[in-house]
Amino acid sequence: MYHALYSSPVGMLRLVSDEKGLRQLWLPNEIEEKFCPAEWIEDGDFSINRQIRDCLDAYFAGEKRRFDNLPLAPVGTAFQQSVWKALLTIPYGTISHYSVIANALNNPKAVRAVGGAVGRNPISILIPCHRVLGKDLSLTGYSGGLPIKKALLDLEKISYRS
């Protein structure tokens, strides 16, 4: 694995990738909680890390709005993968709800399981779980903390209830 730090408007992020793609994007609180194994190589010039860094630069500048063409390679169960793929279909500046995602997966009773998969998204921001809100537009949580979710929603000019 190759990892690199990225300084963003929401704090320091860590990119974790290999030849298959970006595996993880650690948010600031995760950087404090997790440690890189000794065998991981710190390399900001690794091609995928460079590509992701350029994409994040454009996103935080308000230019990059789609991430489905990036080499994203999160590791998870088949169900988690299907939820994360569904998250990639939520357009920039819009929201979705857990029930909408469950219905899109032809599994309307899986709302809680969808919530669990959203919460385990290893590539936050680029797999845009911050765009999932409660039906009343309330913030329903975010693995990186609500201040970061609010900042991302504000960047995309998405309305929400605090």
Side-chain angles (χ1 to χ4, degrees):
M1 291 287 187
Y2 299 91
H3 67 99
L5 290 173
Y6 174 81
S7 180
S8 83
V10 297
M12 197 62 71
L13 308 175
R14 183 175 303 281
L15 313 177
V16 180
S17 60
D18 63 15
E19 291 76 12
K20 292 182 181 178
L22 184 70
R23 297 296 187 158
Q24 300 173 28
L25 189 154
W26 296 1
L27 298 168
N29 63 319
E30 294 172 309
I31 289 175
E32 294 175 10
E33 298 167 359
K34 297 180 179 182
F35 297 94
C36 297
E39 64 270 14
W40 286 12
I41 301 166
E42 187 167 0
D43 187 353
D45 287 326
F46 180 63
S47 62
I48 291 172
N49 287 342
R50 265 196 329 268
Q51 184 178 1
I52 298 300
R53 185 181 62 231
D54 292 347
C55 173
L56 288 168
D57 286 344
Y59 171 74
F60 285 115
E63 300 165 8
K64 180 74 172 171
R65 296 173 179 232
R66 293 187 59 189
F67 310 121
D68 54 351
N69 62 341
L70 291 173
L72 305 179
V75 175
T77 67
F79 180 77
Q80 289 171 331
Q81 295 281 347
S82 67
V83 170
W84 301 335
K85 187 175 181 180
L87 292 175
L88 285 167
T89 68
I90 305 170
Y92 180 97
T94 64
I95 61 161
S96 190
H97 310 290
Y98 300 106
S99 60
V100 170
I101 296 168
N103 286 331
L105 298 175
N106 295 317
N107 198 347
K109 294 184 179 188
V111 175
R112 294 183 101 180
V114 165
V118 169
R120 288 178 187 81
N121 173 11
I123 305 178
S124 295
I125 302 174
L126 299 177
I127 298 178
C129 54
H130 60 277
R131 296 178 188 156
V132 179
L133 301 178
K135 283 193 173 187
D136 62 354
L137 300 182
S138 61
L139 302 175
T140 54
Y142 191 65
S143 63
L146 290 182
I148 290 178
K149 183 170 185 165
K150 289 178 182 180
L152 297 171
L153 294 171
D154 291 343
L155 172 72
E156 296 187 28
K157 297 178 178 38
I158 296 173
S159 298
Y160 56 89
R161 282 191 23 195
S162 292

